[in-house]
Amino acid sequence: MAERTLSANLAFSQDLLTDIVVAPHILLTKYELLAIDERELVVLLRLLHVSGAGGWISSAAIAAEFACSEEEARAVVEPFSAKGLLKYDAATDGFSSEYLFRRLYEEWMAVKRQNGGKPARADKAAKSDKARDKAAIQLRDATLKELYHCFEQEMGTMLSPMENDKIRHWLEDEQLAPELIKEALKRSVLQGKRNFAYIDKILLNWRKKHYATIEDVAAEDAPSAAAAKPRGKAKARVGEDKFADVYLKMLK
């Protein structure tokens, strides 16, 4: 009888340890910044638990997790879609969590800057927490995947390994916000200069000026855009890009 009880306890322990929900620590501590409450946090953790490759969460997986229909499953996710954390893709009938991880990345970077470039740790035990390290890697990989996708779409071609490394360098070594990298890409496309050298010059200029957010860049653009605004029909220039004067002058 004792052996049977011991065997049952071991089986329970094994099942318990193999069905663990890994949650990023920053999500547990900063969830209020995502405009969700504690109840929604629990739902979100369950959604992440059934996510597949690349952070995709299928409607079928959600339905199985919450024991509901796929139509009801989409209703479960609706609050997170409305807040821009999960995005529905009709082609795959699933939800992408990349937007959630992007928000968490921005918060993580903010905390990192406040701590002199060192990731915050609540206590000594957190330093050796492999689950949190894994979550950080997943967050970084999801952000890089999104950036690679954006660049390939705008460049109209597959990225080379060197180009991938350049994007990784901007994100990890230079610690530039993903939104700044995408904004530099956007402006290079608008100038008809779809190359990494031009994008790097834009980012270098922003680094020198210690720009960390899109708001910093917008603050610089505002006076130039106002000064370049045409007055009357005689001075109007059709199709002129509002960033042209700023960047042509900056990159000479």
Side-chain angles (χ1 to χ4, degrees):
M1 184 68 177
E3 291 181 358
R4 184 178 301 176
T5 301
L6 178 59
S7 177
N9 288 339
L10 288 174
F12 168 74
S13 298
Q14 290 174 348
D15 285 346
L16 188 66
L17 293 175
T18 55
D19 192 29
I20 293 177
V21 177
V22 178
H25 182 256
I26 195 167
L27 175 58
L28 297 177
T29 57
K30 303 288 186 179
Y31 66 90
E32 291 179 343
L33 297 177
L34 303 178
I36 62 176
D37 56 27
E38 293 179 352
R39 182 186 64 81
E40 290 173 321
L41 173 63
V42 173
V43 174
L44 184 58
L45 290 175
R46 291 181 65 182
L47 291 172
L48 294 177
H49 181 56
V50 296
S51 63
W56 281 97
I57 312 171
S58 68
S59 297
I62 299 171
E65 172 69 15
F66 290 89
C68 62
S69 67
E70 291 190 15
E71 183 177 352
E72 292 171 328
R74 287 188 283 272
V76 169
V77 184
E78 195 280 330
F80 305 104
S81 296
K83 293 170 183 176
L85 302 178
L86 300 176
K87 184 176 181 181
Y88 180 67
D89 179 41
T92 59
D93 191 25
F95 297 84
S96 171
S97 61
E98 289 185 10
Y99 297 87
L100 167 65
F101 283 107
R102 183 174 65 185
R103 291 280 299 278
L104 291 177
Y105 179 84
E106 291 169 354
E107 295 301 331
W108 179 76
M109 287 296 294
V111 172
K112 190 172 183 180
R113 291 190 188 98
Q114 291 173 1
N115 288 273
K118 298 180 179 179
R121 291 291 184 267
D123 48 41
K124 292 182 179 180
K127 294 181 180 179
S128 59
D129 191 334
K130 293 182 179 180
R132 292 180 187 174
D133 290 340
K134 181 180 179 181
I137 292 172
Q138 290 175 338
L139 176 60
R140 178 204 63 193
D141 290 347
T143 304
L144 280 170
K145 180 181 177 182
E146 183 187 6
L147 286 172
Y148 293 156
H149 179 68
C150 288
F151 270 75
E152 287 178 345
Q153 278 195 323
E154 296 296 345
M155 296 289 188
T157 183
M158 295 289 290
L159 297 177
S160 69
M162 290 183 64
E163 290 170 336
N164 286 337
D165 288 342
K166 190 64 176 178
I167 295 173
R168 184 184 294 272
H169 170 73
W170 289 332
L171 184 69
E172 296 182 357
D173 299 335
E174 300 292 346
Q175 296 184 9
L176 293 169
E179 296 303 318
L180 282 182
I181 297 173
K182 288 193 289 185
E183 183 66 14
L185 168 63
K186 172 185 173 183
R187 298 186 180 204
S188 72
V189 171
L190 290 173
Q191 288 297 317
K193 299 184 178 181
R194 305 186 184 200
N195 62 76
F196 275 70
Y198 190 85
I199 296 171
D200 197 38
K201 286 182 179 180
I202 294 175
L203 293 172
L204 176 61
N205 181 66
W206 289 346
R207 287 197 300 272
K208 287 180 178 178
K209 295 180 178 180
H210 304 290
Y211 290 169
T213 66
I214 290 294
E215 288 72 20
D216 294 334
V217 176
E220 179 191 53
D221 289 340
S224 299
K229 186 176 181 182
R231 298 179 180 178
K233 295 182 179 179
K235 296 184 179 180
R237 289 175 287 179
V238 179
E240 181 184 25
D241 170 45
K242 67 178 181 179
F243 302 120
D245 293 340
V246 178
Y247 283 92
L248 288 176
K249 180 178 179 181
M250 179 186 77
L251 298 170
K252 284 182 179 178

Short mmCIF file of all heavy atoms in Angstrom, two decimals, residues 36-72:
data_model
loop_
_atom_site.label_atom_id
_atom_site.label_comp_id
_atom_site.label_asym_id
_atom_site.label_seq_id
_atom_site.Cartn_x
_atom_site.Cartn_y
_atom_site.Cartn_z
N ILE A 36 -4.29 46.00 -17.92
CA ILE A 36 -5.05 44.80 -17.60
C ILE A 36 -5.07 44.62 -16.08
O ILE A 36 -4.16 45.09 -15.38
CB ILE A 36 -4.47 43.54 -18.27
CG1 ILE A 36 -3.04 43.26 -17.78
CG2 ILE A 36 -4.51 43.68 -19.78
CD1 ILE A 36 -2.46 41.98 -18.34
N ASP A 37 -6.11 43.95 -15.59
CA ASP A 37 -6.21 43.71 -14.16
C ASP A 37 -5.72 42.30 -13.84
O ASP A 37 -5.27 41.56 -14.73
CB ASP A 37 -7.64 43.93 -13.66
CG ASP A 37 -8.66 43.08 -14.40
OD1 ASP A 37 -8.28 41.99 -14.90
OD2 ASP A 37 -9.84 43.48 -14.50
N GLU A 38 -5.82 41.92 -12.56
CA GLU A 38 -5.29 40.62 -12.14
C GLU A 38 -6.04 39.45 -12.78
O GLU A 38 -5.44 38.44 -13.14
CB GLU A 38 -5.35 40.51 -10.62
CG GLU A 38 -4.40 41.48 -9.91
CD GLU A 38 -4.48 41.37 -8.40
OE1 GLU A 38 -5.38 40.66 -7.90
OE2 GLU A 38 -3.66 42.00 -7.73
N ARG A 39 -7.35 39.61 -12.95
CA ARG A 39 -8.13 38.54 -13.58
C ARG A 39 -7.70 38.35 -15.03
O ARG A 39 -7.51 37.23 -15.51
CB ARG A 39 -9.63 38.87 -13.51
CG ARG A 39 -10.53 37.78 -14.09
CD ARG A 39 -11.97 38.24 -14.12
NE ARG A 39 -12.14 39.39 -15.02
CZ ARG A 39 -12.26 39.26 -16.35
NH1 ARG A 39 -12.21 38.07 -16.92
NH2 ARG A 39 -12.43 40.33 -17.09
N GLU A 40 -7.51 39.46 -15.74
CA GLU A 40 -7.08 39.39 -17.13
C GLU A 40 -5.66 38.84 -17.23
O GLU A 40 -5.31 38.18 -18.21
CB GLU A 40 -7.18 40.76 -17.77
CG GLU A 40 -8.61 41.23 -17.99
CD GLU A 40 -8.69 42.67 -18.47
OE1 GLU A 40 -7.90 43.51 -17.98
OE2 GLU A 40 -9.55 42.96 -19.32
N LEU A 41 -4.84 39.12 -16.22
CA LEU A 41 -3.47 38.60 -16.21
C LEU A 41 -3.49 37.07 -16.20
O LEU A 41 -2.74 36.43 -16.93
CB LEU A 41 -2.71 39.12 -14.99
CG LEU A 41 -1.32 38.51 -14.76
CD1 LEU A 41 -0.39 38.84 -15.92
CD2 LEU A 41 -0.73 39.04 -13.45
N VAL A 42 -4.35 36.50 -15.37
CA VAL A 42 -4.45 35.04 -15.30
C VAL A 42 -4.90 34.47 -16.64
O VAL A 42 -4.35 33.46 -17.13
CB VAL A 42 -5.44 34.62 -14.19
CG1 VAL A 42 -5.66 33.11 -14.21
CG2 VAL A 42 -4.91 35.04 -12.82
N VAL A 43 -5.88 35.11 -17.28
CA VAL A 43 -6.35 34.66 -18.60
C VAL A 43 -5.21 34.75 -19.61
O VAL A 43 -4.99 33.84 -20.42
CB VAL A 43 -7.56 35.50 -19.07
CG1 VAL A 43 -7.95 35.12 -20.50
CG2 VAL A 43 -8.74 35.32 -18.13
N LEU A 44 -4.47 35.85 -19.58
CA LEU A 44 -3.36 36.05 -20.51
C LEU A 44 -2.28 34.99 -20.32
O LEU A 44 -1.71 34.47 -21.29
CB LEU A 44 -2.77 37.45 -20.32
CG LEU A 44 -1.65 37.86 -21.28
CD1 LEU A 44 -2.12 37.77 -22.73
CD2 LEU A 44 -1.17 39.27 -20.97
N LEU A 45 -1.98 34.63 -19.09
CA LEU A 45 -0.99 33.58 -18.82
C LEU A 45 -1.43 32.25 -19.39
O LEU A 45 -0.63 31.47 -19.93
CB LEU A 45 -0.74 33.46 -17.31
CG LEU A 45 0.00 34.63 -16.66
CD1 LEU A 45 0.08 34.45 -15.16
CD2 LEU A 45 1.40 34.79 -17.25
N ARG A 46 -2.71 31.96 -19.29
CA ARG A 46 -3.24 30.71 -19.86
C ARG A 46 -3.16 30.74 -21.39
O ARG A 46 -2.90 29.72 -22.02
CB ARG A 46 -4.69 30.49 -19.40
CG ARG A 46 -4.80 30.17 -17.92
CD ARG A 46 -6.23 29.93 -17.50
NE ARG A 46 -6.78 28.73 -18.12
CZ ARG A 46 -8.04 28.32 -17.95
NH1 ARG A 46 -8.87 29.04 -17.18
NH2 ARG A 46 -8.48 27.22 -18.53
N LEU A 47 -3.37 31.91 -21.98
CA LEU A 47 -3.25 32.03 -23.42
C LEU A 47 -1.81 31.80 -23.88
O LEU A 47 -1.56 31.10 -24.86
CB LEU A 47 -3.73 33.42 -23.87
CG LEU A 47 -5.23 33.71 -23.74
CD1 LEU A 47 -5.52 35.17 -24.03
CD2 LEU A 47 -6.03 32.81 -24.69
N LEU A 48 -0.86 32.39 -23.15
CA LEU A 48 0.55 32.22 -23.49
C LEU A 48 0.99 30.77 -23.31
O LEU A 48 1.87 30.28 -24.02
CB LEU A 48 1.42 33.14 -22.64
CG LEU A 48 1.25 34.65 -22.88
CD1 LEU A 48 2.11 35.44 -21.92
CD2 LEU A 48 1.58 35.01 -24.32
N HIS A 49 0.35 30.09 -22.37
CA HIS A 49 0.70 28.69 -22.09
C HIS A 49 0.43 27.79 -23.29
O HIS A 49 1.12 26.79 -23.50
CB HIS A 49 -0.09 28.20 -20.87
CG HIS A 49 0.21 26.78 -20.48
ND1 HIS A 49 1.48 26.34 -20.19
CD2 HIS A 49 -0.61 25.70 -20.34
CE1 HIS A 49 1.44 25.06 -19.88
NE2 HIS A 49 0.18 24.66 -19.97
N VAL A 50 -0.57 28.14 -24.10
CA VAL A 50 -0.93 27.29 -25.25
C VAL A 50 -0.40 27.88 -26.57
O VAL A 50 -0.80 27.44 -27.64
CB VAL A 50 -2.46 27.09 -25.34
CG1 VAL A 50 -2.96 26.35 -24.13
CG2 VAL A 50 -3.20 28.43 -25.48
N SER A 51 0.49 28.88 -26.48
CA SER A 51 1.04 29.46 -27.71
C SER A 51 1.99 28.48 -28.36
O SER A 51 2.67 27.69 -27.70
CB SER A 51 1.76 30.78 -27.40
OG SER A 51 2.86 30.56 -26.55
N GLY A 52 2.05 28.54 -29.69
CA GLY A 52 2.91 27.65 -30.45
C GLY A 52 4.16 28.35 -30.94
O GLY A 52 4.59 29.36 -30.38
N ALA A 53 4.72 27.83 -32.03
CA ALA A 53 5.95 28.40 -32.59
C ALA A 53 5.72 29.83 -33.03
O ALA A 53 4.68 30.17 -33.59
CB ALA A 53 6.41 27.55 -33.78
N GLY A 54 6.71 30.68 -32.74
CA GLY A 54 6.62 32.08 -33.13
C GLY A 54 5.63 32.89 -32.33
O GLY A 54 5.30 34.01 -32.69
N GLY A 55 5.13 32.32 -31.22
CA GLY A 55 4.20 33.06 -30.38
C GLY A 55 2.77 33.07 -30.89
O GLY A 55 1.95 33.85 -30.42
N TRP A 56 2.45 32.18 -31.86
CA TRP A 56 1.08 32.13 -32.40
C TRP A 56 0.18 31.31 -31.50
O TRP A 56 0.56 30.25 -31.01
CB TRP A 56 1.09 31.54 -33.81
CG TRP A 56 1.53 32.53 -34.83
CD1 TRP A 56 2.78 32.68 -35.34
CD2 TRP A 56 0.73 33.54 -35.44
NE1 TRP A 56 2.82 33.71 -36.24
CE2 TRP A 56 1.58 34.27 -36.33
CE3 TRP A 56 -0.61 33.91 -35.35
CZ2 TRP A 56 1.13 35.32 -37.09
CZ3 TRP A 56 -1.06 34.97 -36.12
CH2 TRP A 56 -0.20 35.65 -36.98
N ILE A 57 -1.03 31.81 -31.29
CA ILE A 57 -2.02 31.12 -30.45
C ILE A 57 -3.24 30.84 -31.32
O ILE A 57 -3.93 31.78 -31.75
CB ILE A 57 -2.43 31.98 -29.25
CG1 ILE A 57 -1.19 32.55 -28.54
CG2 ILE A 57 -3.27 31.18 -28.27
CD1 ILE A 57 -1.50 33.59 -27.48
N SER A 58 -3.50 29.59 -31.61
CA SER A 58 -4.62 29.25 -32.49
C SER A 58 -5.94 29.28 -31.72
O SER A 58 -5.98 29.05 -30.50
CB SER A 58 -4.42 27.86 -33.09
OG SER A 58 -4.52 26.86 -32.09
N SER A 59 -7.01 29.55 -32.45
CA SER A 59 -8.34 29.55 -31.83
C SER A 59 -8.68 28.17 -31.28
O SER A 59 -9.33 28.04 -30.23
CB SER A 59 -9.40 29.99 -32.85
OG SER A 59 -9.17 31.31 -33.27
N ALA A 60 -8.23 27.12 -31.99
CA ALA A 60 -8.49 25.75 -31.54
C ALA A 60 -7.81 25.47 -30.20
O ALA A 60 -8.39 24.85 -29.30
CB ALA A 60 -8.01 24.76 -32.59
N ALA A 61 -6.56 25.95 -30.05
CA ALA A 61 -5.83 25.74 -28.79
C ALA A 61 -6.50 26.50 -27.64
O ALA A 61 -6.58 26.00 -26.51
CB ALA A 61 -4.38 26.20 -28.94
N ILE A 62 -7.00 27.70 -27.93
CA ILE A 62 -7.69 28.48 -26.90
C ILE A 62 -8.98 27.79 -26.49
O ILE A 62 -9.31 27.70 -25.30
CB ILE A 62 -7.99 29.91 -27.41
CG1 ILE A 62 -6.69 30.64 -27.75
CG2 ILE A 62 -8.78 30.70 -26.37
CD1 ILE A 62 -6.90 31.96 -28.47
N ALA A 63 -9.70 27.27 -27.48
CA ALA A 63 -10.95 26.56 -27.20
C ALA A 63 -10.70 25.35 -26.32
O ALA A 63 -11.48 25.07 -25.39
CB ALA A 63 -11.62 26.15 -28.51
N ALA A 64 -9.61 24.62 -26.60
CA ALA A 64 -9.28 23.44 -25.78
C ALA A 64 -8.89 23.83 -24.36
O ALA A 64 -9.28 23.18 -23.39
CB ALA A 64 -8.14 22.67 -26.46
N GLU A 65 -8.13 24.93 -24.24
CA GLU A 65 -7.68 25.38 -22.92
C GLU A 65 -8.84 25.83 -22.05
O GLU A 65 -8.89 25.53 -20.84
CB GLU A 65 -6.67 26.53 -23.09
CG GLU A 65 -6.25 27.21 -21.80
CD GLU A 65 -5.40 26.34 -20.90
OE1 GLU A 65 -4.88 25.30 -21.37
OE2 GLU A 65 -5.26 26.70 -19.71
N PHE A 66 -9.82 26.54 -22.64
CA PHE A 66 -10.92 27.09 -21.86
C PHE A 66 -12.21 26.28 -21.99
O PHE A 66 -13.25 26.69 -21.48
CB PHE A 66 -11.18 28.54 -22.29
CG PHE A 66 -10.12 29.50 -21.88
CD1 PHE A 66 -9.02 29.74 -22.69
CD2 PHE A 66 -10.18 30.17 -20.66
CE1 PHE A 66 -8.02 30.62 -22.31
CE2 PHE A 66 -9.19 31.05 -20.27
CZ PHE A 66 -8.10 31.27 -21.09
N ALA A 67 -12.11 25.12 -22.67
CA ALA A 67 -13.25 24.22 -22.83
C ALA A 67 -14.47 24.96 -23.38
O ALA A 67 -15.56 24.96 -22.80
CB ALA A 67 -13.60 23.55 -21.50
N CYS A 68 -14.27 25.64 -24.52
CA CYS A 68 -15.35 26.40 -25.13
C CYS A 68 -15.26 26.25 -26.64
O CYS A 68 -14.35 25.60 -27.17
CB CYS A 68 -15.27 27.87 -24.73
SG CYS A 68 -13.74 28.70 -25.28
N SER A 69 -16.21 26.83 -27.36
CA SER A 69 -16.18 26.79 -28.82
C SER A 69 -15.13 27.77 -29.34
O SER A 69 -14.67 28.65 -28.60
CB SER A 69 -17.55 27.16 -29.38
OG SER A 69 -17.83 28.53 -29.12
N GLU A 70 -14.75 27.62 -30.62
CA GLU A 70 -13.76 28.51 -31.19
C GLU A 70 -14.29 29.94 -31.29
O GLU A 70 -13.54 30.90 -31.17
CB GLU A 70 -13.32 28.01 -32.57
CG GLU A 70 -12.50 26.72 -32.49
CD GLU A 70 -11.86 26.34 -33.80
OE1 GLU A 70 -11.80 27.20 -34.71
OE2 GLU A 70 -11.41 25.19 -33.93
N GLU A 71 -15.58 30.07 -31.50
CA GLU A 71 -16.18 31.41 -31.53
C GLU A 71 -16.09 32.06 -30.15
O GLU A 71 -15.76 33.25 -30.03
CB GLU A 71 -17.65 31.31 -31.96
CG GLU A 71 -18.33 32.67 -32.09
CD GLU A 71 -19.75 32.57 -32.59
OE1 GLU A 71 -20.16 31.46 -32.99
OE2 GLU A 71 -20.45 33.60 -32.58
N GLU A 72 -16.35 31.27 -29.10
CA GLU A 72 -16.23 31.79 -27.74
C GLU A 72 -14.77 32.06 -27.41
O GLU A 72 -14.46 33.00 -26.66
CB GLU A 72 -16.81 30.79 -26.75
CG GLU A 72 -18.31 30.64 -26.84
CD GLU A 72 -18.85 29.49 -26.01
OE1 GLU A 72 -18.13 28.47 -25.86
OE2 GLU A 72 -19.99 29.59 -25.50
#
